[in-house]
Amino acid sequence: FQELAKYEEMEDKVVLTEKELLEDGFGEHPFYHCLVAEVPKEQWSPEEHSIVGFAMYYFTYDPWIGKLLYLEDFYVMAEYRGLGIGSEILKNLSQVAVKCRCSSMHFLVAEWNEPSIRFYKRRGASDLSTEEGWRLFRIDKQYLLKMATEE
Amino acid sequence: MASFSIRAARPEDCPDLLRLIKELAKYEEMEDKVVLTEKGIKAAAARRVGSLLTGSVALYSAFLELLEDGFGEHPFYHCLVAEVPKEQWSPEEHSIVGFAMYYFTYDPWIGKLLYLEDFYVMAEYRGLGIGSEILKNLSQVAVKCRCSSMHFLVAEWNEPSIRFYKRRGASDLSTEEGWRLFRIDKQYLLKMATEE
């Protein structure tokens, strides 16, 4: 996550701890699932990492069509790109989606991220923000607290 | 003075949930017709695909799925409903006059988030504070479940909703940070799933 955050230039915003990640993903009620890409020893990174890519996903819900697969994070280390790892991860994700009876897969892409936009469009993705006018909004915790405690 | 209460939905509320989901879709479709932009028309068309589900067989299976997906062993969504006392029931004798559908999502930098999927109050019951009360309840759920923030989508032409949310501190991440929502439909998922 920290490498992907660095790519997105937001490294110091990663405040999640390993402990929370462990509990939230592998506790009694997982809030996310992950796929990882692993390479054999001969191909380990200089820092001796065998895990060179990952995808984080969870299930969301559309009241009209039911379950959806939501792709939250997707990253392959720079030195391991161009080898088909990204495509293989996406293929695995597609199999999960089909197996779990999801109607489609949703995800966000930053408008400046042209390589990713091309990568996804090649595989049939449509840009709902541009085509249908959807905008993502956020209400931060401070405002939630304000509303939660208002008379 | 109207009185109402907000509570968690129960399995027996599913018929009302389905009714309000359809009303919201109709409301969105009508709003799309008023704003004659190409985008609005495309979004309305997407909703009309959903409105093909008005045949009785499809309606029944939509109801069953809603029941199982929300109240089965692993709920994929949660709902809050707004209820009014008998004196204020609708002409069709509905006691449930508003709802919000939400679930939990995850941000790998900060952890759990509350995602607001659908939010609707019947026209005759607006302006009574029901929407604000539902949002207050959602905020309490978010705080209790240790969510860092609440996320949701709003259509760019839906100015009343945009104002409603901005008044309460919402920021438009699409405009501010350039995020775009993408979708890969099932046909393309099947293609990728079965590729050599």
Side-chain angles (χ1 to χ4, degrees), chain B residues 26-173:
Chain B
K26 211 166 168 181
Y27 166 85
E28 286 178 355
E29 201 177 325
M30 278 163 56
E31 289 300 297
D32 297 342
K33 283 200 181 110
V34 170
V35 184
L36 293 171
T37 64
E38 203 190 302
K39 284 179 190 174
I41 292 166
K42 275 195 171 144
R47 280 294 190 205
R48 256 174 241 131
V49 171
S51 65
L52 286 176
L53 294 177
T54 50
S56 57
V57 173
L59 201 64
Y60 183 61
S61 71
F63 167 79
L64 283 182
E65 262 194 58
L66 205 63
L67 185 64
E68 167 85 29
D69 292 344
F71 301 93
E73 218 186 88
H74 177 116
F76 285 90
Y77 71 85
H78 308 275
C79 274
L80 292 176
V81 294
E83 207 163 18
V84 293
K86 196 160 185 175
E87 319 82 76
Q88 285 163 58
W89 282 7
S90 73
E92 300 87 7
E93 298 192 353
H94 295 307
S95 64
I96 291 182
V97 301
F99 85 109
M101 175 188 271
Y102 66 94
Y103 41 81
F104 297 97
T105 57
Y106 203 78
D107 181 314
W109 296 358
I110 48 179
K112 278 186 289 183
L113 305 173
L114 190 139
Y115 190 85
L116 177 57
E117 173 63 43
D118 259 13
F119 183 11
Y120 180 75
V121 176
M122 286 166 69
E124 320 89 285
Y125 295 88
R126 288 177 210 154
L128 304 171
I130 293 180
S132 296
E133 194 65 22
I134 288 179
L135 213 47
K136 175 178 176 173
N137 271 254
L138 286 169
S139 303
Q140 291 167 348
V141 170
V143 170
K144 195 173 81 171
C145 297
R146 287 176 294 111
C147 295
S148 308
S149 54
M150 178 160 77
H151 280 204
F152 49 94
L153 295 177
V154 187
E156 63 189 15
W157 64 81
N158 192 344
E159 285 156 39
S161 293
I162 291 177
R163 281 195 303 267
F164 175 88
Y165 291 120
K166 282 193 162 175
R167 269 201 301 272
R168 288 154 177 79
S171 11
D172 178 345
L173 298 184

Side-chain angles (χ1 to χ4, degrees), chain A residues 115-134:
Chain A
S116 293
I117 291 176
R118 280 195 302 267
F119 176 87
Y120 292 120
K121 282 194 163 175
R122 268 200 302 271
R123 288 153 177 79
S126 9
D127 178 346
L128 299 184
S129 285
T130 299
E131 290 179 28
E132 297 180 12
W134 292 107

Side-chain angles (χ1 to χ4, degrees), chain A:
Chain A
F1 300 147
Q2 284 163 338
E3 272 201 42
L4 175 51
K6 212 167 172 179
Y7 173 79
E8 294 176 354
E9 286 171 11
M10 299 286 216
E11 216 181 342
D12 40 307
K13 294 246 167 82
V14 183
V15 297
L16 200 60
T17 62
E18 257 185 53
K19 179 171 186 275
E20 283 167 315
L21 210 58
L22 182 67
E23 165 111 13
D24 293 341
F26 302 92
E28 215 187 271
H29 178 115
F31 286 91
Y32 71 85
H33 308 275
C34 273
L35 291 174
V36 295
E38 205 164 17
V39 295
K41 194 161 186 175
E42 318 83 77
Q43 286 164 57
W44 281 7
S45 73
E47 300 85 7
E48 298 192 353
H49 295 307
S50 63
I51 291 182
V52 300
F54 83 107
M56 173 189 267
Y57 66 95
Y58 41 81
F59 298 96
T60 57
Y61 203 77
D62 179 313
W64 268 110
I65 49 178
K67 279 186 290 183
L68 305 173
L69 190 139
Y70 190 87
L71 177 57
E72 173 64 46
D73 257 15
F74 183 11
Y75 182 76
V76 176
M77 287 166 67
E79 321 88 287
Y80 295 89
R81 287 176 211 156
L83 305 170
I85 293 179
S87 296
E88 194 65 21
I89 289 178
L90 213 47
K91 174 178 176 174
N92 271 254
L93 286 169
S94 303
Q95 290 167 347
V96 169
V98 170
K99 195 173 82 171
C100 298
R101 289 176 293 111
C102 296
S103 307
S104 55
M105 178 159 79
H106 280 202
F107 49 94
L108 296 176
V109 188
E111 62 190 10
W112 48 258
N113 193 344
E114 284 154 41
S116 293
I117 291 176
R118 280 195 302 267
F119 176 87
Y120 292 120
K121 282 194 163 175
R122 268 200 302 271
R123 288 153 177 79
S126 9
D127 178 346
L128 299 184
S129 285
T130 299
E131 290 179 28
E132 297 180 12
W134 292 107
R135 288 201 202 142
L136 177 66
F137 277 67
R138 175 185 66 210
I139 297 183
D140 272 333
K141 191 157 190 181
Q142 56 188 117
Y143 299 109
L144 295 178
L145 276 162
K146 189 168 186 283
M147 284 192 287
T149 53
E150 246 165 11
E151 277 312 303

Side-chain angles (χ1 to χ4, degrees), chain B residues 11-29:
Chain B
E12 50 268 31
D13 294 324
C14 275
D16 285 295
L17 289 178
L18 201 53
R19 169 178 60 86
L20 293 175
I21 287 167
K22 288 175 66 190
E23 269 195 46
L24 172 52
K26 211 166 168 181
Y27 166 85
E28 286 178 355
E29 201 177 325

